[in-house]
Amino acid sequence: MLASLSIRDVVLIERLDLTFGPGLSVLTGETGAGKSILLDSLGLALGQRAESGLVRAGQSQAVVTAAFAPPPDHPANALLAEQGIVVEDGIVLRRILTADGRSRAFVNDEPVGVALLRRLGTLLVEVQGQHDQVGLADPASHAGLLDAFGGLDTRRNAVADAHRAWRAAERALRDAREAIAAAQRDEEWLRHAVSELSDLAPKEGEEDELAADRQRLQGGERRAEAIASALSELQPRDRRGGGSPAAAMRNAARALERLPPPNEEAAPALAALAAAQDALSEAESLLERLSSDAQPDPRRLEQVEERLFALRAAARKHSVAVVDLPAHLADLKERLSALNAGTGRVAALETAARDARTAYVTAANTLTAARSDHAAKLEKAVARELAPLKLERARLHVEIEPREESAWGPDGQDRVTFLVTTNPGQKPGQLAKIASGGELSRLMLALKVVLARGSPVPTLVFDEVDSGIGGATAAAVGDRLARVAERLQVLVVTHSPQVAARGARHFQVAKGVRDDRAETRVVPLEPKARREEIARMLAGERVTEAARAAADDLLAGAA
């Protein structure tokens, strides 16, 4: 419901803060006092069109703030959650309008577009006025209102569930057909790719193993070269065996052996040369053995490199990493398998989609039958409310027509429209086009009396619903407003004392002058002041004791 309304610098209002409660609140005042300014201000906060003329003369901007306290499960909370706006202690709508006609919108102090403000406004407040109606006048709401009147939530939910299941089955079928069509377009390439990768048979972790083998084999060549080089240094460099360390040591030993005797002094040198020759011979044997063991396998290195390069070439061709080649092959095989088995799967999905459609149609037909039954009951219930509102010739017609299959939805197959006739023999037409302003407001009131239980909008505003009527008809209007207010918050702008007397809260709108400027004020009335205001509405400019007594009777009758 609307908890409070704060207005700053709108037309004749400089500063105004109002609080509202549940039930029926009435706003009264003389013609021209500024009651329409209040509704225009509320409309501004609800996202309606902003005009620079609303800004109070001499001010740079106007600001209107409307605070609401909807129940936790209200659709407005879900809408704000979708927008990422936190709702903790209610919903606060704020609109700032500058003198040059530009405006900014905020929800819970978060800047938003006016379109979102307008969407929230339609969920929180419904306005029924002489010229502008929203809510009941919108045919899009009629099916939901009829279902709420008939208590058809279970059937409607069953239709919504069946519709979701049907659409899900249709999407699965469409996706399968598209997948098969794409696979068939690529079938030749797909078979070639699977064959090529299957022949290659990539294994998980194979690239790392091959790279390590390649590095080891390449290192083996360098090792063999080093051993051969070392061995060449110990071996003869000419055919006569000369040029090697062994030949040099042999020549040195022969030279020492030719010393004339006694040659004992040469014995240690000869012994050392003999030991050196033995060590050198041993080193040469070891190097020859190492050389024999370290001979690389050129074919093995070639095989490793061929395999490694083949894997990397395949990875580039398929735009994947080498490590992902096994998974890629598995995916291609799965696609090929799906292509081979696709016809059978599509047939199964077609059957599932047909069954889901049949289930939806069955549920929707059940809902249609129930709607037809309760449409007649709704027409009769509204008819009972019309005569006391001086609309005894008017009739509500609930039209239920089948929609094209393309327009079937979670709310069923029907197009539900509330039509009205105001005179016998008249062709039924839409609410806003057939009735006059006063008739339309009273028609809306009659509908609201019957449909209040199913209304998702917690706050209703009626602007002069009692226009052009008086006496018993005005009393009937007040009675019905009070009945609607038992379930919903109702704000009504009225000139009727019979309606004003039914309010749980009474606000007086008055225009005065302050600092040589006209100003609109709104005052909540206490019982004594309220009695005086209703007496004024009864008597006119001069309030008499008889008018006060009549006001007492009205207030007592409404208690």
Side-chain angles (χ1 to χ4, degrees), residues 243-268:
S244 68
M249 284 188 283
R250 285 194 298 271
N251 292 334
R254 290 192 192 103
L256 289 175
E257 288 171 351
R258 290 197 293 270
L259 288 173
N263 58 355
E264 288 83 358
E265 68 277 10

Side-chain angles (χ1 to χ4, degrees), residues 366-415:
T366 301
L367 179 60
T368 298
R371 281 172 171 169
S372 298
D373 179 45
H374 285 89
K377 295 178 181 178
L378 176 59
E379 290 172 353
K380 291 178 181 178
V382 173
R384 288 193 293 270
E385 300 294 332
L386 292 176
L389 297 175
K390 206 174 182 180
L391 292 170
E392 58 276 355
R393 295 182 178 182
R395 289 293 179 269
L396 174 72
H397 302 269
V398 181
E399 183 178 78
I400 302 175
E401 295 181 321
R403 294 186 291 194
E404 297 292 330
E405 183 168 340
S406 59
W408 291 357
D411 60 342
Q413 302 170 325
D414 314 314
R415 180 182 295 106

Side-chain angles (χ1 to χ4, degrees), residues 151-216:
L152 305 180
D153 290 348
T154 301
R155 291 182 175 88
R156 187 182 177 100
N157 291 338
V159 171
D161 292 342
H163 184 266
R164 279 193 294 272
W166 176 31
R167 291 308 180 202
E170 290 283 352
R171 284 194 299 272
L173 176 59
R174 182 176 62 252
D175 291 345
R177 285 172 172 167
E178 290 176 353
I180 289 175
Q184 286 174 338
R185 288 193 298 269
D186 300 334
E187 181 176 5
E188 183 177 351
W189 173 86
L190 190 60
R191 294 190 183 281
H192 173 74
V194 168
S195 175
E196 183 181 56
L197 287 178
S198 296
D199 291 341
L200 184 62
K203 299 179 181 62
E204 189 173 349
E206 188 177 10
E207 182 185 23
D208 291 341
E209 294 177 3
L210 290 171
D213 284 348
R214 182 184 182 215
Q215 185 176 11
R216 181 178 57 79

Side-chain angles (χ1 to χ4, degrees), residues 518-537:
E519 180 183 67
T520 292
R521 297 185 301 274
V522 180
V523 181
L525 298 181
E526 297 298 328
K528 184 176 180 180
R530 185 182 184 193
R531 174 193 184 224
E532 198 69 11
E533 171 66 4
I534 293 175
R536 180 199 64 76
M537 297 171 72

Side-chain angles (χ1 to χ4, degrees), residues 23 36 42 81 182 208 217 256 271 323 334 366 372-373 432 447 457 514 551:
S36 62
L42 178 60
D208 291 341
L217 290 169
L256 289 175
V323 71
E334 184 177 347
T366 301
S372 298
D373 179 45
L447 278 167
V457 180
R514 189 177 69 170

Side-chain angles (χ1 to χ4, degrees), residues 234-248 250-251 254:
L234 301 180
Q235 293 176 337
R237 294 183 175 84
D238 55 45
R239 294 180 180 179
R240 294 174 300 179
S244 68
R250 285 194 298 271
N251 292 334
R254 290 192 192 103

Side-chain angles (χ1 to χ4, degrees), residues 117-383:
L117 200 68
R118 190 177 301 115
R119 288 177 63 189
L120 285 168
T122 59
L123 293 173
L124 294 167
V125 178
E126 184 175 312
V127 180
Q128 311 293 346
Q130 287 283 337
H131 307 290
D132 298 315
Q133 290 82 23
V134 297
L136 281 175
D138 181 8
S141 69
H142 294 173
L145 291 169
L146 175 59
D147 293 345
F149 169 77
L152 305 180
D153 290 348
T154 301
R155 291 182 175 88
R156 187 182 177 100
N157 291 338
V159 171
D161 292 342
H163 184 266
R164 279 193 294 272
W166 176 31
R167 291 308 180 202
E170 290 283 352
R171 284 194 299 272
L173 176 59
R174 182 176 62 252
D175 291 345
R177 285 172 172 167
E178 290 176 353
I180 289 175
Q184 286 174 338
R185 288 193 298 269
D186 300 334
E187 181 176 5
E188 183 177 351
W189 173 86
L190 190 60
R191 294 190 183 281
H192 173 74
V194 168
S195 175
E196 183 181 56
L197 287 178
S198 296
D199 291 341
L200 184 62
K203 299 179 181 62
E204 189 173 349
E206 188 177 10
E207 182 185 23
D208 291 341
E209 294 177 3
L210 290 171
D213 284 348
R214 182 184 182 215
Q215 185 176 11
R216 181 178 57 79
L217 290 169
Q218 288 175 336
E221 281 189 346
R222 292 191 294 272
R223 181 169 174 268
E225 290 174 358
I227 293 171
S229 177
L231 189 58
S232 68
E233 295 295 329
L234 301 180
Q235 293 176 337
R237 294 183 175 84
D238 55 45
R239 294 180 180 179
R240 294 174 300 179
S244 68
M249 284 188 283
R250 285 194 298 271
N251 292 334
R254 290 192 192 103
L256 289 175
E257 288 171 351
R258 290 197 293 270
L259 288 173
N263 58 355
E264 288 83 358
E265 68 277 10
L270 286 169
L273 284 170
Q277 288 182 69
D278 291 341
L280 189 61
S281 178
E282 176 67 18
E284 186 174 0
S285 297
L286 291 173
L287 287 173
E288 286 176 346
R289 193 178 303 122
L290 285 173
S291 177
S292 176
D293 294 341
Q295 287 300 319
D297 182 357
R299 180 58 186 157
R300 175 58 184 158
L301 177 59
E302 182 181 343
Q303 290 172 344
V304 168
E305 289 186 334
E306 285 180 355
R307 177 67 177 174
L308 183 59
F309 296 157
L311 288 171
R312 289 176 175 173
R316 286 193 298 272
K317 181 177 180 179
H318 290 273
S319 300
V320 297
V322 174
V323 71
D324 294 328
L325 278 175
H328 184 59
L329 174 58
D331 180 61
L332 294 178
K333 286 181 176 179
E334 184 177 347
R335 288 170 58 186
L336 188 58
S337 176
L339 176 62
N340 295 332
T343 303
R345 183 168 182 268
V346 166
L349 290 173
E350 286 175 343
T351 299
R354 283 196 301 270
D355 291 345
R357 181 186 182 279
T358 299
Y360 170 78
V361 170
T362 300
N365 286 340
T366 301
L367 179 60
T368 298
R371 281 172 171 169
S372 298
D373 179 45
H374 285 89
K377 295 178 181 178
L378 176 59
E379 290 172 353
K380 291 178 181 178
V382 173

